[in-house]
Amino acid sequence: MSSRTKFYLNKREKKWLGVCAGLADFTGVDVLWWRVGAVLMTLFAAGPLIPIAYLVIGWMADDKPTEFYGESVVDQKFWQKVRIAPSRSIRDVHASFRDIDRRLAHVERHYTSQNTRLADEIDSLR
């Protein structure tokens, strides 16, 4: 498993141990919903199981490396998509590269064509 696709505790946005903030980073779901869900599950469904699981995760999981804190929002969203559906992420990246390749081929075809107006514009820039 890549270090970018691994679950980490988020100590910078933590309220207690950083488990809910880490889950929010990992899944892309807002941390508020993780916290509300943990409280509601503790009160109405699982009883003491959720706090015990929270403590175990907080004890066993690694802290998020400091180099991951400087990531842009776009990078964070990309890695969340990779964690959730790796094959779809690869397909999306492949489609993006195909689109870029198609557009570059169009530019190259236009540039190398016998377009005299374009040639004149390029010569005027020199």
Side-chain angles (χ1 to χ4, degrees):
M1 179 182 285
S2 170
S3 63
R4 297 231 186 240
T5 58
K6 184 178 172 187
F7 171 76
Y8 292 108
L9 300 174
N10 186 342
K11 297 290 186 172
R12 289 205 179 155
E13 296 180 29
K14 71 177 185 171
K15 291 294 181 189
W16 191 32
L17 293 176
V19 174
C20 289
L23 287 168
D25 285 348
F26 190 76
T27 62
V29 176
D30 189 44
V31 69
L32 175 69
W33 294 114
W34 281 106
R35 291 177 179 145
V36 168
V39 169
L40 291 177
M41 289 290 289
T42 300
L43 294 176
F44 298 115
L49 187 62
I50 296 297
I52 292 169
Y54 187 94
L55 291 172
V56 169
I57 292 170
W59 176 63
M60 292 182 68
D62 296 327
D63 292 346
K64 187 175 181 181
T66 55
E67 63 265 13
F68 290 174
Y69 284 109
E71 290 181 337
S72 69
V73 174
V74 174
D75 287 345
Q76 289 175 0
K77 295 292 180 191
F78 171 77
W79 287 109
Q80 286 167 354
K81 287 180 184 178
V82 169
R83 286 189 289 266
I84 293 169
S87 61
R88 188 174 67 205
S89 299
I90 292 169
R91 190 173 54 245
D92 291 347
V93 168
H94 185 65
S96 295
F97 279 127
R98 270 196 325 259
D99 184 51
I100 290 169
D101 187 49
R102 180 189 55 77
R103 290 176 17 204
L104 282 173
H106 178 74
V107 168
E108 182 180 11
R109 188 172 47 252
H110 184 72
Y111 180 75
T112 58
S113 69
Q114 296 298 326
N115 188 343
T116 57
R117 190 185 62 135
L118 177 64
D120 293 340
E121 287 179 23
I122 291 171
D123 286 337
S124 69
L125 293 174
R126 292 182 185 170

